[in-house]
Amino acid sequence: ETGVTQSPTHLIKTRGQQVTLRCSSQSGHNTVSWYQQALGQGPQFIFQYYREEENGRGNFPPRFSGLQFPNYSSELNVNALELDDSALYLCASRATGGRDGYTFGSGTRLTVV
Amino acid sequence: TQLLEQSPQFLSIQEGENLTVYCNSSSVFSSLQWYRQEPGEGPVLLVTVVTGGEVKKLKRLTFQFGDARKDSSLHITAAQPGDTGLYLCAGGSNYKLTFGKGTLLTVNP
């Protein structure tokens, strides 16, 4: 399988709710990262998973959590949604160890009302 | 905290013109990558540069990495409407990319 696929493409949630975003990484890419991109901003690093364990985290609170599965899929979970969580959430994968760039998915547009 | 500053933030030019966008940082990165992002899509990798002073060409696009590996530039020759998009630079470290805010380029026919 080629490319990175994210679902859903759009989502509307109410403040205080929980959300799970899904990503299917490119085959052979065992490193996956999640980014948050607010309107008019560059993507901000949330965390990275390698071999199903978190091995790097950005400046995001613990209510942002993730999972990575052996079949190159992963999840981003956000609890207690806040209005400021409204953003485009991007999943990116790459082969471990290389200096090649990441392959990004098209993202999930989350709106919190 | 590593920061990347991109300039200009917005650029609107006519088809056929040349342009340069800049990416500057006070920190050294192990690599620097340029991405192009269209509305509603994720960033698409254009190039990765890793060696100070490195220059890479991709058709009409020329990328340069500064000698000190803290800054980079992207030069587009004879811009076309299809070049329109958000150009993002990103510094690579051990486990993450640090992005600038991007340069929004509009090429008018």
Side-chain angles (χ1 to χ4, degrees):
Chain A
E1 181 180 348
T2 60
V4 177
T5 304
Q6 292 188 242
S7 63
T9 55
H10 297 83
L11 196 55
I12 299 175
K13 289 291 207 178
T14 303
R15 187 172 51 183
Q17 285 188 315
Q18 178 267 341
V19 69
T20 297
L21 309 182
R22 293 180 171 82
C23 172
S24 178
S25 301
Q26 184 165 331
S27 180
H29 285 191
N30 52 13
T31 299
V32 64
S33 302
W34 285 87
Y35 289 80
Q36 180 196 66
Q37 186 175 22
L39 207 59
Q41 302 292 319
Q44 297 293 312
F45 175 74
I46 302 175
F47 45 57
Q48 177 171 284
Y49 278 78
Y50 170 65
R51 290 186 176 179
E52 302 161 47
E53 289 193 5
E54 184 182 299
N55 71 340
R57 189 176 184 92
N59 189 27
F60 280 81
R63 60 190 184 85
F64 286 77
S65 63
L67 287 171
Q68 185 187 25
F69 304 101
N71 64 350
Y72 302 113
S73 66
S74 61
E75 292 180 352
L76 165 64
N77 299 288
V78 187
N79 294 322
L81 283 167
E82 301 176 359
L83 297 180
D84 285 348
D85 295 334
S86 296
L88 179 68
Y89 287 86
L90 296 162
C91 171
S93 71
R94 70 168 184 175
T96 304
R99 285 180 169 173
D100 295 337
Y102 288 79
T103 300
F104 280 83
S106 296
T108 293
R109 172 69 64 186
L110 173 65
T111 302
V112 183
V113 298
Chain B
T1 301
Q2 296 177 315
L3 293 174
L4 281 170
E5 294 187 3
Q6 290 190 241
S7 62
Q9 188 176 356
F10 300 97
L11 189 57
S12 180
I13 62 172
Q14 295 300 122
E15 182 176 1
E17 293 183 0
N18 302 330
L19 67 112
T20 302
V21 298
Y22 301 92
C23 174
N24 296 293
S25 172
S26 58
S27 302
V28 175
F29 290 98
S30 60
S31 67
L32 199 136
Q33 298 164 14
W34 284 91
Y35 291 82
R36 179 167 160 263
Q37 185 177 24
E38 297 190 29
E41 298 292 328
V44 175
L45 178 69
L46 297 174
V47 77
T48 301
V49 286
V50 297
T51 305
E54 184 175 3
V55 176
K56 281 192 174 179
K57 292 190 175 183
L58 183 65
K59 298 184 180 178
R60 295 178 293 102
L61 279 60
T62 302
F63 305 86
Q64 186 164 5
F65 200 14
D67 291 340
R69 291 162 56 204
K70 292 182 179 181
D71 56 270
S72 181
S73 64
L74 159 60
H75 182 78
I76 301 179
T77 303
Q80 299 176 1
D83 295 327
T84 293
L86 178 67
Y87 288 82
L88 294 158
C89 68
S93 62
N94 287 338
Y95 56 82
K96 70 175 184 180
L97 293 175
T98 300
F99 281 88
K101 290 185 177 181
T103 293
L104 186 59
L105 171 66
T106 303
V107 182
N108 302 298

